[in-house]
Amino acid sequence: MVSIPVSPYCELARWLLDRLGIPYKEDGHAPVFHVLAARRHGGGSVVPVLDTSDASLVDARDVVNYYEARCPKERRLYPEDARTRAETERLFNLFFDEFGVAVRAWAYAYLLPSNRAAGIRVWTSRAPLLERLAVRLAYPLLVAATRSSLGLKPDTVTKQRAVMDTILDQVEARLADGRRYLMGERFTAADLALAALAAPAVLPPE
């Protein structure tokens, strides 16, 4: 699995593989440097890229869908009931396409302007030695590239926090009846996506 280890999208895939007991080798890289490794396995600029030997899965949603179709019925993350499954898919896509994107932009908008040491630390975690050295040397260029690719602006923190709060309000309302998980008493793909993608904002001890 080619990854940027700090990425919550990579954590989503990592969590799924661990949950299913599937062994894997993680090939961690710093941002930008990850692209060459990803392309060697059929990917592009998005991680994770998982090479299963019979398929190249080019993002975390691909990983979830691939193993959902192959795992035992009792370990699946999508309910069989059509209505419940559709709602689970809606929530997964909401968290994957909107909430996770907002959290990532919000977190980087805080981190990059003010804390070089922390930025270097998270980007070089589990990266090869040469990449760790290169990040230190080219940090201003990497920051500029990240700001450009994520469209970070002076109002990003405020705008993305509003997106996050709106979605978290929906989560709070859904959980208000005391249910254990988003869809009731069963852990689903919606819970997996929310838990993994919220981590940079929530910073759980785990």
Side-chain angles (χ1 to χ4, degrees), residues 34-121:
H34 73 280
V35 175
L36 289 177
R39 286 177 178 169
R40 286 197 298 270
H41 295 278
S45 62
V46 175
V47 287
V49 172
L50 183 64
D51 186 346
T52 70
S53 76
D54 68 333
S56 288
L57 311 176
V58 296
D59 69 7
R61 183 168 14 223
D62 272 4
V63 176
V64 171
N65 292 339
Y66 179 89
Y67 286 104
E68 180 72 6
R70 291 163 174 79
C71 73
K73 181 178 178 180
E74 65 274 11
R75 305 305 303 276
R76 291 176 186 166
L77 289 171
Y78 286 100
E80 288 189 65
D81 173 73
R83 173 182 282 185
T84 310
R85 181 184 179 90
E87 179 63 5
T88 303
E89 289 176 344
R90 184 190 73 80
L91 288 172
F92 180 91
N93 291 333
L94 175 68
F95 301 143
F96 196 96
D97 296 321
E98 297 183 38
F99 182 73
V101 172
V103 169
R104 180 175 57 196
W106 173 84
Y108 274 126
Y110 264 120
L111 178 68
L112 295 181
S114 59
N115 200 328
R116 176 187 174 101
I120 290 174
R121 184 170 65 251

Side-chain angles (χ1 to χ4, degrees), residues 100-164:
V101 172
V103 169
R104 180 175 57 196
W106 173 84
Y108 274 126
Y110 264 120
L111 178 68
L112 295 181
S114 59
N115 200 328
R116 176 187 174 101
I120 290 174
R121 184 170 65 251
V122 299
W123 276 350
T124 58
S125 172
R126 289 182 275 167
L129 175 60
L130 288 178
E131 291 183 15
R132 297 200 300 269
L133 295 174
V135 167
R136 286 171 170 79
L137 292 173
Y139 186 73
L141 296 176
L142 294 175
V143 168
T146 301
R147 293 183 67 85
S148 176
S149 67
L150 297 181
L152 302 185
K153 298 178 181 178
D155 61 353
T156 291
V157 168
T158 302
K159 283 189 172 181
Q160 299 304 335
R161 179 57 188 267
V163 173
M164 293 159 57

